[in-house]
Amino acid sequence: MLGWYVPTPNEAMLISGSKNKGDSPFRIVVGHGAFALPIRNKISFLTLAMQEAEVAEPCVTQQGITLQVRAVIAFKVGDDAESIANAGRRFLDDQRSMPELVGRIFAGHLRSVVGSMTVEDIIRERQKLAAEVLDASKPEMARLGLVVDSFQIESIDDGQAGYIRALSQPHIATVNQAAQIAQAQADQAASKVRQESDRNQAQYQQETAVAKAQYQAQIDQAQQTANQAGPLAQARAQQDVLTEQAKVAQAQAELRRQQLVAEVVRPAEAEAEKVRTLARAQSDAIRLQAEATATSNGVVLERMLVEKMPEILSAAASELRQANVTILNGAEGLGELVAGLATQATSILDIVRRGSGMAAGLVAIPSGTQASQPPPAPPAPKS
């Protein structure tokens, strides 16, 4: 809009050329716009932003020692109308000269304050030095319309004099001594801790080794037991097999014995009983033959033999019944045995008949002469 001006937030607009209230030669506008006629009024802008000034000044102390002091000042134009008016009157045409002027003002006050202090006080009480310089410069800064926000001492140096260094040597020595003592104590404590740690580690390693040895012994014992379990189990199994084999052999031997009894002993006993029965029958036949020889012509003997034959066969059969004879081939074997007895009986009868022809000769033998004896019967086989 024509004739309407607005300053920035960090500026103050100064309007001159019209009648103003009070003693101020211009109207101050901050934070809002205002009308101004380009021909009738003159509009100027004064910065309200923060500015910086540096001071690097050689200062002589109360002891006559020159110190190079460096400081930084942060300042700005005050926000009130009086400060803006004062600064506008002085710096509106050359605002860039404000940092230089402020630096000179603070350099003078810095030399004055340092001259009233010793090097030790300056070093120990640097903040006191800054406060005194700031307090001394405030009246002048207020007349200029400036406000100091901060004043900081950056460095203090005595150049080649070495005074500050000499002052620091006892403290450095004390500090170094304390540092060495602290380091020695720390080393001693660390050594003690390391030794304790080494002892604990050695004890732990010893306990670990003992535990490992015990575990290994248990493992070896278990392994040995496991290794012996196989042979022991195999030996027990072999022993069980041998026991079972012995039982089987004993059973086989018993079976074989029974087979031998059935195959050899029983048939032999039956054959022996048969032989004994036949031998007794033959002996009876010979005896009857002798008796028949004593009779005339053996007729009576033959008749008696025929009449006694059933009794002889019955007696033989009775003997067979009483004998413990095993017939291996069943009914066929029994039939063969009976047929054998009948055959023997027929043979006995034939012998008697043949003997009848010899009777006459036997009778004609003179008295006192003994008749010939029949041949002895064969011995019966042992049962």
Side-chain angles (χ1 to χ4, degrees):
M1 182 181 294
L2 183 61
W4 179 260
Y5 297 92
V6 179
T8 61
N10 61 347
E11 287 181 337
M13 185 171 62
L14 306 179
I15 303 173
S16 61
S18 61
K19 187 177 181 180
N20 298 314
K21 296 179 180 181
D23 297 332
S24 178
F26 41 76
R27 182 160 56 100
I28 301 172
V29 178
V30 179
H32 59 84
F35 281 103
L37 298 176
I39 300 175
R40 182 182 176 182
N41 302 112
K42 183 177 180 180
I43 298 94
S44 302
F45 295 92
L46 179 65
T47 180
L48 302 180
M50 179 69 66
Q51 299 185 60
E52 179 180 309
E54 292 186 358
V55 176
E57 192 70 18
C59 305
V60 180
T61 66
Q62 185 181 7
Q63 300 159 315
I65 300 172
T66 303
L67 299 178
Q68 188 71 25
V69 182
R70 297 179 61 86
V72 177
I73 307 103
F75 69 95
K76 65 182 290 297
V77 177
D79 294 330
D80 59 291
E82 183 180 359
S83 297
I84 294 174
N86 292 336
R89 291 189 184 98
R90 293 170 177 81
F91 305 107
L92 187 60
D93 292 337
D94 190 9
Q95 299 185 36
R96 291 181 295 180
S97 65
M98 286 191 289
E100 182 180 358
L101 179 59
V102 170
R104 291 178 179 176
I105 293 172
F106 272 86
H109 291 292
L110 182 61
R111 287 194 298 270
S112 175
V113 175
V114 168
S116 64
M117 299 176 66
T118 63
V119 177
E120 292 82 358
D121 294 336
I122 294 172
I123 295 174
R124 287 194 298 265
E125 300 178 1
R126 183 176 298 188
Q127 191 63 33
K128 179 182 178 181
L129 171 63
E132 290 183 0
V133 173
L134 187 59
D135 291 340
S137 63
K138 274 183 179 181
E140 295 181 14
M141 296 293 288
R143 287 193 295 270
L144 295 174
L146 301 177
V147 178
V148 178
D149 288 341
S150 174
F151 176 74
Q152 295 293 333
I153 304 297
E154 285 187 340
S155 64
I156 300 173
D157 186 13
D158 62 353
Q160 301 296 326
Y163 187 84
I164 297 176
R165 183 177 179 82
L167 290 176
S168 64
Q169 288 300 321
H171 180 68
I172 292 174
T174 303
V175 171
N176 289 334
Q177 182 180 5
Q180 292 176 357
I181 294 173
Q183 184 65 38
Q185 293 176 350
D187 294 340
Q188 183 179 2
S191 177
K192 183 178 180 181
V193 171
R194 284 196 300 270
Q195 292 176 0
E196 185 68 22
S197 176
D198 293 339
R199 285 195 297 270
N200 294 335
Q201 187 174 2
Q203 183 178 0
Y204 177 75
Q205 291 178 352
Q206 180 181 3
E207 294 175 355
T208 303
V210 172
K212 286 183 177 179
Q214 293 177 352
Y215 294 154
Q216 188 63 40
Q218 294 177 359
I219 293 172
D220 294 341
Q221 184 177 1
Q223 186 66 35
Q224 185 177 4
T225 303
N227 294 335
Q228 293 176 354
L232 289 176
Q234 186 176 2
R236 293 192 186 97
Q238 292 178 354
Q239 184 178 0
D240 295 339
V241 170
L242 293 176
T243 302
E244 295 298 327
Q245 289 179 350
K247 292 180 180 179
V248 172
Q250 184 177 1
Q252 290 178 350
E254 180 64 22
L255 179 61
R256 183 59 182 165
R257 186 185 66 78
Q258 293 178 1
Q259 290 177 351
L260 290 175
V261 169
E263 294 176 358
V264 178
V265 176
R266 296 305 181 190
E269 290 178 353
E271 185 65 25
E273 187 63 26
K274 176 181 176 182
V275 171
R276 284 196 300 271
T277 303
L278 295 178
R280 284 195 296 270
Q282 187 176 4
S283 177
D284 292 341
I286 295 172
R287 181 176 55 78
L288 292 175
Q289 183 180 2
E291 290 179 356
T293 304
T295 61
S296 94
N297 296 326
V299 177
V300 177
L301 180 59
E302 183 177 352
R303 185 182 300 116
M304 290 175 61
L305 183 59
V306 172
E307 292 176 356
K308 296 294 185 179
M309 186 59 67
E311 295 180 4
I312 293 172
L313 292 177
S314 177
S318 176
E319 291 292 334
L320 288 176
R321 283 194 304 269
Q322 295 177 0
N324 187 10
V325 179
T326 302
I327 305 301
L328 299 178
N329 52 355
E332 183 180 355
L334 182 60
E336 291 178 357
L337 182 59
V338 174
L341 292 177
T343 303
Q344 291 295 328
T346 305
S347 298
I348 293 171
L349 185 58
D350 290 340
I351 292 172
V352 172
R353 288 176 177 175
R354 286 195 303 270
S356 298
M358 298 172 58
L362 292 174
V363 174
I365 295 174
S367 63
T369 305
Q370 296 181 352
S372 60
Q373 299 292 327
K382 296 181 181 179
S383 58

